[in-house]
Amino acid sequence: MTRPDFLPRRRVEELVSLYELEPEIVDFFVEGRSDRVLVEHLLDEAGENVRVWEADDVEIPAEMVVNAGESIGAKGRIVALADELERLLPDGEDYSVLCIVDADFDHTIRPEGRVSKFLASTDFACLEAYYWEPKTVRKYLRLSLHGSIPMKPEEFMSQVESAAVEVFLLRLAVASQGLNFSWVDPTSCCGDPKKGEGFDASKYLEKVLNKNAAFKWKQTLERRVADLREYAKGNSRSFIHGHDLCKLISWLIKPYIRDRNITSEEVISRSLACCIERVDVAQYPLFARIIELAGIRQLTE
């Protein structure tokens, strides 16, 4: 598998011409670097015709994103790219191209028109949710944190998860009302974990409403969160925002870890990624589809 460096950004029209002339090319387009390196790692046995690109590697005008009904950003550009490829590539032909985005709220609130043969979303709400399972967390606690956290993986996950899900439910409730809020760091509403103090959801709601001058929405959002909470039971990985997850892990481990570099969100995300096994990721529908498109019969590890 190759990915040429230092190339100018490709225009969509160039990609269309390339796929028509060289149908054996297998291209994956993802939102950012974390997504790219994970997919590249998964496809380590892939041939030279398989490549993984980031949103910034393609020239996707803002007008194209708006026409796709998306917000300007990495995800919006990838969705717009999928729509444009479907519009420009001839029907009836098979192309090994896939645009991949975080599902975010799509498993609960499905935007109209987001159906494309070139578009796929994560099986859970975000990429980080693939790492959020006991086997991976156990490895993270043991190897990355050297066993410094006096908790079993299940207890550790429960403390982080209870807060992360509540924050996600509020994000989802806000989105379902068509509101556009600025957000507050959830750890500002967390107490001292050594004293058994956790996340204060009521305090967090107050802070978010105050920041957005939106107290008139308080009762509506409280009711909406209560309704949505039932959907999250037993399905937490579809109700976790990646940045919130890493922030909350940082909050929980800081009292036990002296090295502040280890408690940074970026290091936490990368450490979790290093702790997951490729064969475990490959079991999920999205990654099974990626492996199939890349022509890999079986992972070697």
Side-chain angles (χ1 to χ4, degrees):
M1 182 176 64
T2 60
R3 181 182 182 274
D5 292 323
F6 310 114
L7 286 178
R9 298 170 74 189
R10 293 290 186 91
R11 293 186 297 109
V12 179
E13 293 79 5
E14 293 175 338
L15 291 172
V16 169
S17 298
L18 182 64
Y19 299 146
E20 291 178 333
L21 291 171
E22 301 183 49
E24 70 278 6
I25 286 177
V26 182
D27 270 354
F28 299 100
F29 296 92
V30 297
E31 293 184 46
R33 180 168 295 183
S34 296
D35 312 275
R36 174 174 64 80
V37 296
L38 177 63
V39 175
E40 285 179 338
H41 180 58
L42 184 72
L43 301 179
D44 213 25
E45 285 83 17
E48 295 296 306
N49 62 314
V50 179
R51 305 170 302 181
V52 187
W53 306 94
E54 300 173 28
D56 286 341
D57 293 326
V58 185
E59 187 177 317
I60 306 170
E63 183 181 1
M64 187 184 298
V65 178
V66 173
N67 289 340
E70 293 293 318
S71 301
I72 303 298
K75 179 176 180 177
R77 295 200 299 273
I78 294 296
V79 173
L81 174 61
D83 287 353
E84 195 70 3
L85 289 174
E86 184 163 17
R87 186 179 72 84
L88 296 176
L89 286 170
D91 291 334
E93 300 290 338
D94 290 328
Y95 299 97
S96 298
V97 180
L98 193 63
C99 299
I100 303 163
V101 296
D102 281 351
D104 295 322
F105 307 135
D106 292 354
H107 292 309
T108 308
I109 305 174
R110 294 190 178 276
E112 294 182 6
R114 183 168 294 176
V115 178
S116 169
K117 64 181 179 181
F118 296 120
L119 181 66
S121 60
T122 51
D123 301 291
F124 307 112
C126 61
L127 180 74
E128 288 83 359
Y130 287 99
Y131 317 148
W132 197 240
E133 52 90 29
K135 179 180 176 181
T136 302
V137 173
R138 183 178 294 108
K139 190 174 179 180
Y140 168 68
L141 293 175
R142 183 177 295 161
L143 299 182
S144 297
L145 303 183
H146 290 183
S148 301
I149 311 300
M151 304 177 198
K152 294 182 178 180
E154 293 76 14
E155 180 187 358
F156 181 86
M157 292 179 69
S158 177
Q159 289 203 40
V160 173
E161 207 171 276
S162 60
V165 169
E166 285 298 314
V167 176
F168 187 92
L169 291 176
L170 181 56
R171 288 180 180 274
L172 180 55
V174 168
S176 71
Q177 298 301 315
L179 302 172
N180 184 21
F181 276 11
S182 296
W183 293 94
V184 175
D185 184 342
T187 63
S188 66
C189 297
C190 292
D192 185 347
K194 282 189 171 182
K195 297 179 181 179
E197 298 171 352
F199 176 71
D200 189 331
S202 297
K203 181 179 178 182
Y204 185 72
L205 174 60
E206 294 281 336
K207 280 195 169 188
V208 171
L209 292 173
N210 183 61
K211 184 170 185 176
N212 293 278
F215 275 96
K216 66 179 181 180
W217 288 97
K218 183 178 180 181
Q219 291 185 342
T220 299
L221 293 175
E222 285 177 333
R223 288 194 297 267
R224 185 64 175 142
V225 167
D227 292 339
L228 291 167
R229 194 172 285 121
E230 291 299 313
Y231 292 98
K233 290 181 178 179
N235 190 27
S236 60
R237 288 202 278 183
S238 290
F239 291 85
I240 288 177
H241 186 281
H243 291 298
D244 293 337
L245 179 68
C246 292
K247 284 179 184 293
L248 289 162
I249 291 174
S250 178
W251 155 73
L252 189 54
I253 68 176
K254 273 182 179 178
Y256 306 98
I257 303 295
R258 292 183 178 180
D259 189 341
R260 286 296 175 255
N261 293 319
I262 295 176
T263 63
S264 77
E265 296 169 45
E266 182 68 21
V267 171
I268 289 169
S269 179
R270 293 187 186 192
S271 297
L272 285 169
C274 289
C275 290
I276 197 165
E277 303 292 338
R278 291 197 307 157
V279 291
D280 293 335
V281 180
Q283 68 177 299
Y284 298 108
L286 171 62
F287 289 99
R289 182 179 177 186
I290 291 171
I291 290 170
E292 182 181 7
L293 277 176
I296 299 175
R297 293 184 178 180
Q298 185 175 358
L299 295 180
T300 57
E301 57 182 57

